[in-house]
Amino acid sequence: MPYNLIDGKAIANQIKTEIAGEVAEIIAKGGKRPHLAVIIVGHDGGSEAYVAHKAKSCEQVGFRSTTIAFEDTVGESELLKEIDSLNNNADVDGFIVQLPLPKHISEQKIIEAIDYRKDVDGFHPINVGKMSIGLPSYVSATPAGILELLKRYDIATAGKNCVVIGRSNIVGKPVAMLLMQKAYPGDATVTICHSRTKNLKEICREADIIIAALGRPEFLTADMVKEGAVVIDVGTTRVPSEQTKSGFRLCGDVKFDEVAPKCSYITPVPGGVGPMTIVSLLRNTLLAAKKEIYPT
Ligand code: L34
């Protein structure tokens, strides 16, 4: 079957142009430049690359951005102090703490310290809760990016069997919630699979749409995929490679070469969901600057 490649990078660029236009309008009217702050802890290669992308993308659309970097020896209380300062900094519209954090710091405690009105990652329980019941909220960036791709490619979701592999708080759970909501994209029949699921292969073979978000390189193979399925690959694992200058390559959760020929649509890695994660963060930051979700 000739498959359609979902070009996340192209869609992301299109959305950046849309956002840049809105920023220009705000500035022309004498408004404040949207401002995103990002806290990064330690030197995880993936995190450093993603945070650099976020800063560069802010610049491209005309946002101000501030990156605050800590060594991985930073104490939890020092981090909480920085969060408190950002919560109270009127120039900062939204901020995030890039995950993962070192083991001696409680991610949950950090997330809950962020003022939910500035939580442009949509990780705070208030935003997660509101999203779950369909109220206006900051929706976390990767799930929002996935839905945007389905929308821009006009992929039908109502009544479709949608299988999500992975149950993380930042992707699996929220994307499942969004796909079952009474909306488009949404109205799907959603099944969430994880490491304890029995008959995973059989369940996947029934899927019209598969979201692979478990973080295991090339986990989804051709024998798990129905002819004509839509496959969204959320994995971005760095695996060692002798072919690249950096010494690694980015590997998705889907064995692309054998799965793609069976698909109607499929996302590549890189260039699929990753760039959409970044523009969804920009979109949330713009919403924060405009105080659209939380007016006060
Ligand atoms: N707080 N932590 C917080 N918020 C997030 O939204 C994230 N995430 C995930 C990890 N931790 C987080 C990201 O930013 C994953 N993630 C992310 C962001 C961007 C990209 C991948 C993951 C991305 O841009 N991927 C590119 C390639 C990047 C490269 O070459 O290194 C792609 O084309 O897939």
Side-chain angles (χ1 to χ4, degrees):
M1 189 168 177
Y3 62 89
N4 296 295
L5 197 64
I6 297 181
D7 191 342
K9 200 165 179 190
I11 301 288
N13 283 332
Q14 206 176 311
I15 296 174
K16 277 188 198 166
T17 305
E18 293 165 15
I19 295 174
E22 279 205 54
V23 174
E25 228 172 272
I26 292 170
I27 302 298
K29 284 185 190 147
K32 188 186 91 64
R33 194 173 289 284
H35 184 183
L36 172 72
V38 178
I39 297 179
I40 176 168
V41 180
H43 296 281
D44 175 85
S47 295
E48 285 186 323
Y50 306 150
V51 166
H53 272 173
K54 289 174 184 182
K56 183 166 164 243
S57 301
C58 281
E59 195 187 311
Q60 286 170 339
V61 299
F63 289 1
R64 181 175 170 200
S65 86
T66 304
T67 302
I68 301 153
F70 290 97
E71 289 302 323
D72 53 16
T73 49
V74 69
E76 195 175 81
S77 59
E78 202 177 330
L79 216 47
L80 289 169
K81 221 161 65 193
E82 185 59 47
I83 289 171
D84 187 55
S85 143
L86 292 171
N87 282 340
N88 291 297
N89 181 341
D91 193 70
V92 172
D93 298 294
F95 67 98
I96 69 165
V97 181
Q98 187 72 17
L99 302 180
L101 292 172
K103 284 192 179 53
H104 66 277
I105 295 169
S106 158
E107 289 187 352
Q108 202 51 37
K109 199 164 170 185
I110 294 302
I111 288 168
E112 290 188 39
I114 298 170
D115 185 329
Y116 68 93
R117 294 165 300 185
K118 293 192 177 189
D119 167 38
V120 285
D121 254 339
F123 291 172
H124 191 285
I126 289 182
N127 283 312
V128 176
K130 284 178 185 274
M131 179 277 293
S132 301
I133 58 173
L135 294 176
S137 63
Y138 295 116
V139 175
S140 61
T142 302
I146 293 168
L147 263 73
E148 192 65 34
L149 284 178
L150 295 172
K151 195 159 132 190
R152 300 228 175 192
Y153 278 84
D154 211 18
I155 292 168
T157 56
K160 300 294 181 188
N161 283 335
C162 184
V163 171
V164 178
I165 315 172
R167 55 177 153 181
S168 72
N169 287 341
I170 80 172
V171 185
K173 277 184 214 167
V175 82
M177 275 293 175
L178 293 166
L179 284 166
M180 75 175 78
Q181 278 178 3
K182 223 177 168 76
Y184 175 74
D187 283 324
T189 303
V190 179
T191 305
I192 305 184
C193 298
H194 47 76
S195 51
R196 305 297 291 268
T197 298
K198 290 179 185 161
N199 311 324
L200 180 82
K201 182 163 137 184
E202 287 69 28
I203 295 168
C204 288
R205 287 182 66 92
E206 296 294 311
D208 301 304
I209 301 171
I210 300 178
I211 315 274
L214 70 163
R216 271 179 52 187
E218 302 188 329
F219 176 84
L220 193 79
T221 46
D223 56 324
M224 302 167 80
V225 178
K226 175 170 89 172
E227 197 68 41
V230 175
V231 171
I232 306 290
D233 189 350
V234 187
T236 49
T237 308
R238 291 182 155 206
V239 299
S241 166
E242 277 155 23
Q243 265 91 2
T244 64
K245 213 165 56 184
S246 57
F248 65 85
R249 68 185 174 92
L250 220 53
C251 190
D253 288 349
V254 177
K255 204 159 190 177
F256 186 91
D257 290 347
E258 62 172 61
V259 170
K262 296 185 86 174
C263 296
S264 57
Y265 290 90
I266 184 166
T267 62
V269 173
V273 172
M276 292 302 293
T277 296
I278 295 196
V279 293
S280 302
L281 174 66
L282 298 177
R283 168 84 49 78
N284 280 347
T285 304
L286 184 62
L287 290 173
K290 298 202 293 187
K291 299 208 180 320
E292 278 196 17
I293 310 277
Y294 302 113
T296 54

